[in-house]
Amino acid sequence: MTGTLPSLDYSFRRLVNILGPERVSRSPMERLMHSHDFASLPKIALLQWKMIPDFVVVPKTVEEVSRLVEFAFEAGLPIIPRGGGSGLVGGAVPNRGGILVDMRRMDRIGAVDPERRLLTVQAGRAWKEIADFAAARGMFLPIAPLGAPASTLGGWFANGGVGIGSYKYGDARDIVTDMQVVLPSGEALRTADGTVDLSVAFGNLNPAFFGSEGTIGLIVEATLQLAPKPEALVPLTYSFKDLWSAREVPGTIAGSDLEPYNVAVMDPVHLAFMRTVRPETPDPQALVNVSLDGPKDEVAAAAAELDALLGGLGGKKLGEDVAKAQWDGRFDLYPARRITGGLVLTETEFPTPAYVEMLRRAARVARRLRMQVAVNSFLVDRNTVAVNPYFLMEEDSPLGPTALAFVKKFGDVAFALGGHPEGLGLFTAFNFPKMHKGATGIYEAVKTQLDPHRKVNPGKMTEVWTRYDLPIVNVIPPEIMGFGLDVAAFLRRLKPTSDRYVKIPGGPR
């Protein structure tokens, strides 16, 4: 339970003793800035959760993180790790105040082994910065999150990172050889033997923290296995009339012998949103962006095969300038937030064969909820497509927050088609039983063993804590969370008009 004012005053003095006054803040503005992640939230959420932390602290060393965790236990305060704030589901947002640990000053790059292409980095470094550092030394970071300029090493790993490059090179687990993690006890643990090559099977604890959302420990450092810098990396862009016209693209590429670096399908609604704030954006159409890497002759041969493959589906190859602009803008996908001030993005994964049916159902959900939704997607591997719909939300409108119903309804579509939403946190913990089925008891046992006092990022996985540490009202059952969003969906259907922020040629979407 968050303490009284006198105890918070004492805690502030203790925190200053650990870090110094310049790296501990009680500033209302500073705390407010750390009370949300990328997702837009209605103000009514503050009635349910105390999302504004009591303190924001900025450690620089593993020892400081250990001391902070030990003190949080002593003071009876929750401790919440936070990276770049690019998450979508409240995984790094407090629910009962406490100590928010901003990891971004833990950004030191340590050992570099050019011969084995190993790079040791503190967990607060952004992925794009790591990629740029590697590229400047002739090495290649093969995968990166869509939010790479802000997303941190530890944050994306803890979120279960798949992203750009995953189709060819795998997910974040496949490039992390070793980590250092501070456990809820304050002990610093190494998860593996960093001297062992990843290509050889060996026991390690890395997977235990992959997708753990910072609930069983704070990742403070990792050693990455980089790749040789490819001789060529060529982006290609193909145009289709609309998303439905491009419906066979993911399955066709996945079923071919091609091994592209990245494959993304962009919705015309997305381009219309973008064009509103970026006039140089192409006219609304479905764009298929494919990147190829490797030796120049192999890339040229793959490009010719891809031209024939997508041309046979009705795709029109666009110029190199368009393809380059799409590649250069791969991390800048959501400036449309400026249109309304609010934007909500949800991440899901579907079996590749279910992609066509997903498009049908996504359009149906958007139509029923009277919403305009951009449905972008990218191939994770031959069997899986990540679908990342987003929509605009007017936070100050009485019915604006009811748009969050789309997150629940589209998640239901994912489950129905053999997929699932990505990420767990304050706003999506109700998905845990469906996502992990019989694993609830296993996770509870692990959490209890490592964090028996529930102090490290608590109340966001198998249960949802409220801001009230009182019997009966201290926890929201997952079913109640889901029911609330179902009620929001009902209210959306009563809305007299549909949201139409942009015009799409060929009719409303």
Side-chain angles (χ1 to χ4, degrees):
M1 180 177 179
T2 299
T4 62
L5 186 59
S7 64
L8 290 179
D9 289 340
Y10 171 74
S11 295
F12 177 71
R13 292 193 295 272
R14 288 289 305 277
L15 291 170
V16 168
N17 286 339
I18 295 172
L19 297 180
E22 71 283 356
R23 290 190 283 136
V24 180
S25 178
R26 293 183 78 180
S27 158
M29 181 59 67
E30 186 82 10
R31 291 160 52 220
L32 183 64
M33 289 172 58
H34 288 80
S35 68
H36 61 86
D37 54 17
F38 184 81
S40 298
L41 284 177
K43 294 180 176 60
I44 195 173
L46 289 169
L47 296 177
Q48 184 164 297
W49 297 299
K50 184 183 177 183
M51 297 187 292
I52 299 175
D54 296 300
F55 309 101
V56 176
V57 298
V58 186
K60 292 183 178 180
T61 68
V62 176
E63 180 188 6
E64 288 176 347
V65 174
S66 294
R67 292 180 64 191
L68 288 170
V69 171
E70 291 171 352
F71 172 72
F73 168 71
E74 177 187 332
L77 292 169
I79 189 163
I80 303 94
R82 176 188 172 98
S86 59
L88 306 172
V89 295
V93 177
N95 48 21
R96 289 184 185 168
I99 302 169
L100 188 139
V101 184
D102 186 336
M103 301 291 288
R104 288 177 296 175
R105 293 288 294 277
M106 292 198 69
D107 60 353
R108 185 176 62 84
I109 291 181
V112 181
D113 185 342
E115 185 175 335
R116 297 174 61 206
R117 291 188 292 274
L118 292 175
L119 181 64
T120 299
V121 190
Q122 284 189 317
R125 193 82 173 201
W127 282 90
K128 188 176 186 304
E129 293 177 348
I130 299 171
D132 292 343
F133 181 91
R137 286 153 183 80
M139 296 180 286
F140 180 53
L141 181 66
I143 60 173
L146 295 178
S151 180
T152 61
L153 170 59
W156 193 47
F157 190 93
N159 191 241
V162 295
I164 295 172
S166 287
Y167 187 84
K168 186 172 182 178
Y169 293 99
D171 58 39
R173 284 173 296 189
D174 297 306
I175 66 168
V176 173
T177 65
D178 179 30
M179 294 193 303
Q180 191 170 20
V181 179
V182 173
L183 299 176
S185 64
E187 176 187 1
L189 168 77
R190 296 224 72 94
T191 59
D193 181 351
T195 65
V196 180
D197 195 306
L198 261 186
S199 63
V200 180
F202 68 99
N204 68 76
L205 293 175
N206 292 341
F209 297 93
F210 183 75
S212 65
E213 303 288 356
T215 61
I216 57 174
L218 284 71
I219 299 171
V220 291
E221 183 183 87
T223 298
L224 305 178
Q225 178 67 69
L226 305 178
K229 194 173 183 179
E231 183 181 6
L233 199 163
V234 177
L236 304 167
T237 295
Y238 302 83
S239 171
F240 289 79
K241 177 184 176 183
D242 52 33
L243 207 52
W244 185 249
S245 300
R247 65 190 181 278
E248 301 295 341
V249 168
T252 300
I253 292 179
S256 73
D257 60 357
L258 290 168
E259 195 174 24
Y261 176 62
N262 193 59
V263 179
V265 182
M266 316 307 286
D267 191 329
V269 177
H270 166 68
L271 267 69
F273 283 157
M274 289 283 291
R275 196 171 174 82
T276 301
V277 294
R278 300 263 200 280
E280 68 277 11
T281 302
D283 291 333
Q285 60 198 292
L287 293 184
V288 176
N289 296 323
V290 182
S291 302
L292 304 170
D293 74 324
K296 288 182 179 179
D297 56 343
E298 292 182 12
V299 167
E305 184 177 347
L306 188 66
D307 289 348
L309 201 65
L310 297 191
L313 296 177
K316 175 186 175 183
K317 188 175 184 179
L318 301 182
E320 293 180 5
D321 57 334
V322 176
K324 183 179 185 303
Q326 288 293 304
W327 175 252
D328 291 344
R330 64 194 182 279
F331 300 133
D332 181 28
L333 296 179
Y334 307 110
R337 180 191 287 267
R338 302 179 195 172
I339 299 174
T340 60
L343 185 150
V344 178
L345 169 67
T346 181
E347 296 179 320
T348 52
E349 291 187 2
F350 287 80
T352 302
Y355 181 77
V356 176
E357 181 60 23
M358 178 280 299
L359 289 179
R360 286 196 187 96
R361 299 196 187 189
R364 188 181 309 150
V365 170
R367 187 167 55 251
R368 287 179 176 174
L369 297 181
R370 301 177 177 274
M371 295 173 61
Q372 195 167 42
V373 181
V375 183
N376 295 335
S377 56
F378 67 91
L379 279 171
V380 174
D381 53 40
R382 295 189 186 277
N383 301 311
T384 312
V385 58
V387 183
N388 300 339
Y390 75 93
F391 52 88
L392 306 180
M393 186 176 77
E394 299 178 46
E395 299 178 5
D396 296 327
S397 168
L399 286 178
T402 61
L404 293 170
F406 181 88
V407 176
K408 165 69 163 54
K409 293 301 181 183
F410 191 71
D412 291 345
V413 169
F415 287 126
L417 295 179
H420 60 80
E422 294 179 16
L424 289 164
L426 280 184
F427 324 126
T428 54
F430 60 86
N431 285 323
F432 190 100
K434 290 183 180 179
M435 288 174 65
H436 300 287
K437 299 180 173 63
T440 302
I442 297 173
Y443 172 79
E444 283 290 346
V446 172
K447 177 70 171 174
T448 299
Q449 184 67 31
L450 293 178
D451 186 16
H453 301 286
R454 296 294 201 272
K455 290 302 175 188
V456 177
N457 212 14
K460 297 177 183 175
M461 293 285 267
T462 57
E463 59 185 6
V464 183
W465 285 11
T466 70
R467 63 181 296 150
Y468 310 104
D469 189 11
L470 298 169
I472 302 177
V473 295
N474 60 336
V475 173
I476 307 171
E479 300 81 5
I480 298 299
M481 285 283 293
F483 175 74
L485 291 174
D486 285 333
V487 171
F490 174 76
L491 295 175
R492 287 291 306 180
R493 291 175 188 148
L494 299 179
K495 195 170 178 282
T497 58
S498 298
D499 294 341
R500 287 287 175 263
Y501 300 107
V502 292
K503 291 183 179 181
I504 305 297
R509 272 286 312 280

